[in-house]
């Protein structure tokens, strides 16, 4: 059978994926170390904010298979996949189940970053938005961020890793390598994602603007006395 090598994940999407993974690891470590490590916890939090803003925009204008429209599946399509009757395109980019996990993880990370911006440890570190809301909101955000949110993030990341192991070991699907070099070997021809110099320059512009948003949010912090 003829195999076709197709560019599925563009370079910006791949860098986003691994940068986000590294930041999550760093956030977990710095949160548990505490103390002066919280300075890096905030920096990594702002980095994740920039990455999430980037992914939101790139999900609209990025490569073919990185766009949300490419993996925004209906409930019926998801049920069909779970029943063992996948659509031919389900194995190209994100499968319906994989897409669901992506959206849930992005939403949970957004909630975690958002509540982090509203959290206060009542010792030395407070999010930049705490001054704009009531103490009750700060308390709720802090509790969610430290307990529920952290548990959800760790649980979803764990499930994500287990799912990858299952699909690679049991179903013999390529998942890790394509997220490294961008290409998938497919039995049928598929439309590739655009991944040329121009699209990468566009991604840099989007990333710079996203970093600007994160910097602006960080600048809202009340001055320390």
């Amino acid at each position: 059978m003829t195999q076709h090598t197709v560019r599925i994940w563009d370079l910006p999407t791949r860098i986003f994926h691994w940068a986000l993974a590294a930041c999550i690891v760093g956030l977990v470590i710095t949160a548990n170390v505490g103390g002066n490590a919280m300075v890096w916890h905030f920096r990594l939090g702002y980095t994740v904010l920039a990455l999430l803003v980037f992914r939101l925009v790139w999900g609209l204008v990025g490569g073919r298979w990185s766009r949300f429209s490419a993996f925004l599946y209906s409930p019926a399509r998801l049920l069909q996949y779970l029943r063992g009757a996948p659509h031919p395109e389900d194995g190209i980019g994100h499968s319906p189940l994989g897409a669901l996990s992506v959206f849930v993880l992005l939403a949970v990370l957004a909630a975690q970053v958002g509540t982090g911006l509203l959290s206060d440890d009542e010792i030395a570190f407070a999010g930049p938005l705490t001054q704009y809301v009531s103490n009750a909101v700060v308390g709720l955000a802090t509790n969610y961020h430290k307990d529920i949110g952290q548990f959800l993030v760790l649980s979803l990341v764990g499930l994500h890793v287990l799912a990858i192991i299952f699909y690679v070991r049991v179903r013999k699907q390529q998942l890790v390598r394509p997220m490294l070099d961008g290409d998938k070997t497919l039995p049928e021809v598929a439309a590739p994602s655009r991944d040329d110099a121009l699209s990468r320059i566009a991604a840099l512009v989007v990333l710079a603007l996203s970093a600007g948003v994160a910097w602006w949010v960080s600048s809202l912090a009340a001055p320390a006395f």
Side-chain angles (χ1 to χ4, degrees):
M1 180 181 294
T2 303
Q3 298 291 302
H4 305 272
T5 300
V6 183
R7 175 56 49 91
I8 300 300
W9 305 120
D10 53 57
L11 182 61
T13 298
R14 284 177 275 148
I15 292 177
F16 161 82
H17 179 274
W18 296 112
L20 185 63
C23 285
I24 291 175
V25 172
L27 283 166
V28 172
I29 293 173
T30 52
N32 285 279
V33 171
N36 293 331
M38 289 302 295
V39 173
W40 280 101
H41 188 77
F42 271 78
R43 290 171 179 170
L44 288 169
Y46 292 130
T47 302
V48 172
L49 173 60
L51 288 172
L52 291 177
V53 173
F54 168 83
R55 190 63 183 93
L56 177 63
V57 177
W58 202 242
L60 301 175
V61 301
R64 165 74 174 81
W65 299 101
S66 296
R67 295 184 184 182
F68 297 135
S69 59
F71 56 97
L72 189 60
Y73 300 107
S74 66
R77 179 82 168 265
L78 175 60
L79 288 174
Q80 180 182 353
Y81 179 81
L82 293 174
R83 289 170 178 167
H87 187 277
E89 288 191 353
D90 288 350
I92 300 177
H94 288 301
S95 69
L97 190 59
L100 179 62
S101 69
V102 168
F103 285 123
V104 172
L105 182 57
L106 290 177
V108 168
L109 286 174
Q112 189 68 355
V113 171
T115 52
L117 298 173
L118 294 168
S119 295
D120 187 347
D121 67 1
E122 299 183 346
I123 300 175
F125 298 97
L129 303 184
T130 54
Q131 60 184 316
Y132 301 106
V133 296
S134 67
N135 290 334
V137 172
V138 170
L140 289 172
T142 303
N143 289 333
Y144 175 89
H145 187 79
K146 289 184 175 181
D147 297 322
I148 300 173
Q150 185 172 208
F151 171 77
L152 287 175
V153 170
L154 291 175
S155 298
L156 289 173
V157 169
L159 286 173
H160 186 69
V161 172
L162 289 175
I164 290 174
I165 294 174
F166 172 78
Y167 276 91
V168 171
R169 295 289 187 181
V170 178
R171 295 200 170 181
K172 307 298 181 182
Q173 292 188 13
Q174 303 174 39
L175 292 180
V176 178
R177 187 182 63 77
M179 194 52 74
L180 291 172
D181 63 20
D183 297 333
K184 265 191 175 183
T185 301
L186 304 170
E188 301 291 340
V189 176
S193 286
R194 181 175 179 178
D195 191 23
D196 54 20
L198 188 59
S199 67
R200 294 176 180 182
I201 291 173
L204 283 175
V205 172
V206 174
L207 180 60
L209 293 174
S210 302
V213 170
W215 175 85
W216 173 75
V217 172
S218 71
S219 71
L220 297 176
F225 294 101

